[in-house]
């Protein structure tokens, strides 16, 4: 889905590279070097923890959090150990400090301003998505090349022309952009964003961007995701067909054995079925 470069449970320890409570409060520990797979799972843990907190929980076991996040508990414990977070046997993880840890690691201890370029059908929907605010992001600017869209209000924000990108990116301190342009315009717009100071791009355009190494890009292609699901459906159908054939062969074999027992020549009858 993405073009991309770049026994334990609840207390928080102070090992080197760990994020301690003091880190959440503003000190500067060594930042942990996390595996990419762990980073990709942290937002799921955070989502599950927020839901648990909202439903009145103060602690959660590794098994409970793993179930809520859709991973196995051993993997979850290993991921959280990279943060220096270990569990208390029989108690589990304290939810509030763990939320603080993960938000710090993901850089969500401050709300990040985001620019969205391209306000067609997809961009318009993204601009109105309420989930960004609850996950630590603020849509600070909307851009489009279509002059007829400039000045349009979407979720209270006026659409600006892409020519205003340098000025707005600087004034709003924007480092992350969402690209929802047509494929043919994506590279040129991405170059504009990078030149203006954007260093991370979420790309919905169906094209691979050629950008400097220091720019982090994640590509979201819904058609590719559907093609992958189509593969899984095809595989399930193929396996189902093979299983049906195996059942049918088994039934024929059972009939052949029965016929052979009656006729007194089982070997010949089994040979006929196998053939």
């Amino acid at each position: 889905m993405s073009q991309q470069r770049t026994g334990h449970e609840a207390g928080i320890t102070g090992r080197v590279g760990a994020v301690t409570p003091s880190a959440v409060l503003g000190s500067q520990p060594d930042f942990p070097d996390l595996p990419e797979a762990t980073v990709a799972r942290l937002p799921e843990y955070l989502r599950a923890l927020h839901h648990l907190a909202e439903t009145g929980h103060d602690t959660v076991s590794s098994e409970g959090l793993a179930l809520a996040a859709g991973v196995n508990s051993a993997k979850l414990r290993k991921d959280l150990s990279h943060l220096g977070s270990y569990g208390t046997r029989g108690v589990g993880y304290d939810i509030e400090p763990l939320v603080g840890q993960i938000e710090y690691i993901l850089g969500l201890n401050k709300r990040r301003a985001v620019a969205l370029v391209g306000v067609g059908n997809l961009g318009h929907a993204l601009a109105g998505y309420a989930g960004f605010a609850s996950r630590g992001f603020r849509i600070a600017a909307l851009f489009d090349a279509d002059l007829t869209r400039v000045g349009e209000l979407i979720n209270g924000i006026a659409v600006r022309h892409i020519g205003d990108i340098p000025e707005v990116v600087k004034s709003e301190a924007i480092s992350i952009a969402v690209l929802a342009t047509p494929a043919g315009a994506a590279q040129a717009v991405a170059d504009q964003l990078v030149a203006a100071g954007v260093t991370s791009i979420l790309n919905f355009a169906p094209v691979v961007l050629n950008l400097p190494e220091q720019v982090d890009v994640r590509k979201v292609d819904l058609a590719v995701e559907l093609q992958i699901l189509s593969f899984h459906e095809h595989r399930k159908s193929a396996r189902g067909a093979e299983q049906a054939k195996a059942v049918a062969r088994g039934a024929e074999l059972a009939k052949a054995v029965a016929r052979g027992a009656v006729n007194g020549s089982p070997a010949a009858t089994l040979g006929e079925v196998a053939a």
Side-chain angles (χ1 to χ4, degrees), residues 176-265:
I176 300 175
V178 177
L179 198 57
T181 66
Q187 183 65 56
V189 172
D191 290 339
Q192 282 182 267
L193 289 166
V194 171
V198 168
T199 52
S200 293
I201 294 176
L202 180 62
N203 178 28
F204 282 89
V207 63
V208 175
L209 300 174
N210 181 20
L211 296 172
E213 282 295 319
Q214 68 268 25
V215 178
D216 291 301
V217 180
R218 292 191 68 87
K219 186 176 188 304
V220 181
D221 192 324
L222 300 181
V224 167
E225 298 305 312
L226 286 171
Q227 288 170 340
I228 292 170
L229 289 175
S230 177
F231 160 78
H232 289 295
E233 288 300 313
H234 187 192
R235 182 175 60 180
K236 284 184 282 190
S237 297
R239 287 178 174 174
E242 286 299 316
Q243 290 172 351
K245 288 179 182 178
V247 169
R249 285 196 296 268
E252 286 299 318
L253 183 59
K255 290 178 182 178
V257 170
R259 287 198 301 269
V262 172
N263 298 331
S265 55

Side-chain angles (χ1 to χ4, degrees), residues 19-229:
V19 179
T20 64
S22 60
V24 177
L25 294 175
S27 65
Q28 300 295 323
D30 293 334
F31 200 83
D33 187 14
L34 302 179
E36 285 292 335
T38 295
V39 175
R41 287 188 289 268
L42 290 181
E44 290 302 320
Y45 301 154
L46 187 59
R47 175 194 57 76
L49 287 165
H50 277 305
H51 177 71
L52 288 164
E54 289 165 3
T55 52
H57 294 82
D58 296 320
T59 62
V60 62
S61 68
S62 61
E63 290 79 8
L65 182 52
L67 181 64
V71 302
N72 67 64
S73 57
K75 185 176 293 183
L76 178 139
R77 286 193 294 269
K78 184 175 181 181
D79 286 342
L80 296 186
S81 72
H82 288 301
L83 311 186
S85 194
Y86 300 93
T88 301
R89 187 177 298 277
V91 176
Y93 292 100
D94 290 324
I95 290 175
E96 186 176 351
L98 186 54
V99 165
Q101 274 190 296
I102 296 176
E103 287 184 343
Y104 171 79
I105 289 295
L106 293 177
L108 301 178
N109 49 327
K110 62 177 181 179
R111 182 157 294 189
R112 293 191 176 273
V114 176
L116 191 155
V117 186
V119 292
N121 292 335
L122 176 59
H124 199 289
L126 291 171
Y129 176 54
F132 289 135
S134 64
R135 300 294 182 90
F137 300 95
R138 174 177 65 90
I139 298 296
L142 302 174
F143 298 99
D144 202 282
D146 184 353
L147 291 174
T148 65
R149 306 300 297 266
V150 173
E152 178 182 345
L153 284 177
I154 302 176
N155 207 25
I157 303 173
V159 177
R160 305 280 294 265
H161 188 262
I162 58 172
D164 295 334
I165 284 176
E167 172 196 342
V168 178
V169 165
K170 181 178 180 180
S171 65
E172 294 286 345
I174 294 170
S175 60
I176 300 175
V178 177
L179 198 57
T181 66
Q187 183 65 56
V189 172
D191 290 339
Q192 282 182 267
L193 289 166
V194 171
V198 168
T199 52
S200 293
I201 294 176
L202 180 62
N203 178 28
F204 282 89
V207 63
V208 175
L209 300 174
N210 181 20
L211 296 172
E213 282 295 319
Q214 68 268 25
V215 178
D216 291 301
V217 180
R218 292 191 68 87
K219 186 176 188 304
V220 181
D221 192 324
L222 300 181
V224 167
E225 298 305 312
L226 286 171
Q227 288 170 340
I228 292 170
L229 289 175

